[in-house]
Amino acid sequence: MKHLVLLGGGYGNMRILQRLLPDGVPNDIHIILIDRVPYHCLKTEYYALAAGTISDHHIRVPFPEHSQLTYQFGEVVSIDLDKQLVHLKDGNSIRYDELVIGLGCEDKYHGVPGAEAYTYSIQSIDKARAAYEALNNLPPKATVGIVGAGLSGVELASELAESRPDLHVKLFDRGERILPMFPKRLSDYVERWFVEHHVEIVRHSNVTKVEPDVLYNHDEPVPCDVIVWTAGIQPNRVVRELNVEKDKQGRVVLTKQHYIPGYENVYVVGDCASLPHSPSAQLAEAQAEQIVQVMQKRWNGEEPPSEFPPIKLKGILGSLGKKHGFGLVADRPLTGRVPRLLKSGVLWMYKYHNGY
Ligand SMILES: Cc1cc2nc3c(=O)[nH]c(=O)nc-3n(C[C@H](O)[C@H](O)[C@H](O)COP(=O)(O)OP(=O)(O)OC[C@H]3O[C@@H](n4cnc5c(N)ncnc54)[C@H](O)[C@@H]3O)c2cc1C
């Protein structure tokens, strides 16, 4: 038996399982999926979990069952590419013949002192739960500072402002306008929504230090009862510590067939992979489709495609509370109820296709 080991049961590796099961795995291959969590987590909904507007159960999807698939639940601490071993925190090591690294990303704190220690995060389920507890136990009129007005910061700020209008939400961002990756029309729409919902946007901010219950904007103290960091991501620590070539964001540089140069049997999927788009669940899934093609060709003793057509993404959808949203679909800006409905529909379809 050969071992195909999947590290992380996130969007990338779930798509790989979806395509390989039920009949795409040769009889001599056994799959082992390793994750610290015993179910697939819908990370794109962590902002709502933290705001307290959906239940924990709502964003868990059971892992699939198959006779050629087993699970190992635990914390991956390192990978030895030369010995083909994955080391776990409990002291166990798992040998692989083929490996797919899909461990996702973590917060990037840009060296800001105190940021890691004194801010909450929505980058992993346990951290989003801790944010939920802190945010939802706040007394009326408390102040929440959210650092970073990208997609996740905007979704968290709006969800919180709508569900806890008694709180004072401050959204800190470096730029002149929030969501700079979107057309200005969309940023303006989101900013108007924030004005109507009493979210304070602090433009041109530069968070220089964080202490318990206070962040420093351009060295000026701003008291906050809870601070949430949404100001940057980087690949998982296990991947950062791999001694292989990385891009400027620390993501692993891959061949056109998505494996690590020099390690034909090690693929990297999703947020840890250097790809020509910003990390997203959609991108992880599209890349996973290509990885499956490479694997299956090789298992059949055929040459894998020498390259793939560029990955085309369908667009981005963001929510502003439960009723409004914004998005860019086929390069068309959308605002209002339609993108919000589309976003809910995408989530429903995702759960449906994963047997939920
Ligand atoms: C609030 C928010 C909103 C988002 N909205 C969108 C959106 O609307 N659309 C979109 O396309 N993308 C969105 N994203 C981005 C998207 O969630 C990620 O790009 C996607 O999850 C990446 O998939 P992945 O397979 O690389 O890793 P992930 O889905 O993050 O999965 C990684 C897995 O690895 C496990 N893991 C991590 N470290 C270890 C370890 N050391 N040991 C064991 N297991 C480990 C985790 O438990 C997890 O199951 C959003 C992200 C956030 C935070």
Side-chain angles (χ1 to χ4, degrees):
M1 268 295 183
K2 286 189 192 138
H3 286 163
L4 164 62
V5 174
L6 307 181
L7 298 188
Y11 290 85
N13 274 331
M14 276 296 272
R15 178 56 61 91
I16 287 181
L17 286 179
Q18 234 182 26
R19 291 293 176 259
L20 290 181
L21 309 177
D23 48 14
V25 198
N27 289 336
D28 64 338
I29 291 188
H30 188 84
I31 305 176
I32 303 170
L33 186 139
I34 306 179
D35 203 298
R36 52 161 83 109
V37 183
Y39 36 78
H40 169 52
C41 298
L42 303 180
K43 186 171 185 179
T44 60
E45 308 307 303
Y46 285 178
Y47 70 92
L49 179 68
T53 58
I54 54 166
S55 75
D56 203 289
H57 178 251
H58 183 82
I59 58 163
R60 298 182 215 151
V61 171
F63 284 132
E65 287 178 21
H66 190 273
S67 56
Q68 285 166 269
L69 168 65
T70 51
Y71 293 95
Q72 176 89 39
F73 297 119
E75 184 78 16
V76 176
V77 287
S78 63
I79 304 165
D80 188 327
L81 292 175
D82 296 316
K83 294 193 178 135
Q84 303 194 181
L85 287 173
V86 173
H87 299 297
L88 303 184
K89 195 175 177 185
D90 63 10
N92 272 329
S93 297
I94 314 269
R95 189 191 58 77
Y96 62 82
D97 298 289
E98 287 182 87
L99 183 71
V100 185
I101 305 173
L103 292 170
C105 68
E106 304 172 348
D107 294 286
K108 183 165 186 174
Y109 295 100
H110 310 285
V112 175
E116 185 167 2
Y118 304 120
T119 67
Y120 287 88
S121 159
I122 54 170
Q123 284 301 331
S124 66
I125 193 145
D126 54 326
K127 288 181 178 167
R129 285 175 183 143
Y132 158 78
E133 206 172 312
L135 290 167
N136 287 279
N137 280 327
L138 282 172
K141 297 195 183 345
T143 298
V144 176
I146 298 174
V147 185
L151 184 65
S152 51
V154 162
E155 291 194 314
L156 177 64
S158 53
E159 196 80 2
L160 200 56
E162 191 177 79
S163 63
R164 289 281 314 261
D166 58 298
L167 297 177
H168 183 194
V169 180
K170 286 173 184 254
L171 183 57
F172 293 85
D173 199 67
R174 273 179 174 277
E176 165 60 27
R177 66 175 169 107
I178 59 172
L179 296 169
M181 66 295 231
F182 285 98
K184 184 161 183 310
R185 201 187 116 193
L186 283 189
S187 302
D188 291 345
Y189 170 79
V190 175
E191 288 188 7
R192 276 198 305 279
W193 193 97
F194 279 145
V195 171
E196 280 162 24
H197 291 79
H198 311 290
V199 172
E200 186 186 343
I201 300 170
V202 186
R203 296 172 211 281
H204 302 295
S205 61
N206 180 19
V207 175
T208 46
K209 186 169 68 169
V210 185
E211 288 176 351
D213 300 332
V214 51
L215 67 76
Y216 290 78
N217 183 19
H218 294 283
D219 297 326
E220 287 295 316
V222 183
C224 294
D225 298 284
V226 166
I227 304 162
V228 187
W229 192 266
T230 56
I233 54 166
Q234 60 184 340
N236 191 290
R237 182 192 55 77
V238 173
V239 167
R240 297 204 303 278
E241 289 176 0
L242 279 182
N243 187 19
V244 295
E245 190 188 348
K246 321 264 176 53
D247 66 12
K248 277 189 197 142
Q249 284 78 35
R251 300 174 304 182
V252 178
V253 172
L254 300 172
T255 64
K256 291 191 164 64
Q257 290 85 17
H258 306 293
Y259 59 80
I260 301 180
Y263 298 96
E264 287 210 344
N265 57 340
V266 182
Y267 305 88
V268 182
V269 71
D271 290 358
C272 297
S274 180
L275 295 168
H277 297 279
S278 303
S280 70
Q282 216 184 122
L283 179 63
E285 289 175 333
Q287 188 203 5
E289 300 276 358
Q290 299 186 346
I291 292 175
V292 168
Q293 287 187 48
V294 176
M295 281 177 176
Q296 289 187 321
K297 285 275 179 205
R298 286 175 159 178
W299 291 339
N300 291 336
E302 297 166 27
E303 262 309 295
S306 57
E307 61 183 299
F308 289 94
I311 291 174
K312 284 204 180 117
L313 301 177
K314 292 186 192 105
I316 312 181
L317 293 166
S319 66
L320 292 172
K322 293 289 183 234
K323 295 194 192 108
H324 301 102
F326 56 94
L328 205 53
V329 178
D331 288 334
R332 224 179 114 205
L334 297 176
T335 55
R337 287 184 188 257
V338 170
R340 187 66 185 89
L341 279 170
L342 284 175
K343 191 173 166 88
S344 301
V346 168
L347 177 63
W348 188 88
M349 290 289 284
Y350 185 83
K351 289 170 95 170
Y352 177 78
H353 283 298
N354 281 289
Y356 199 55

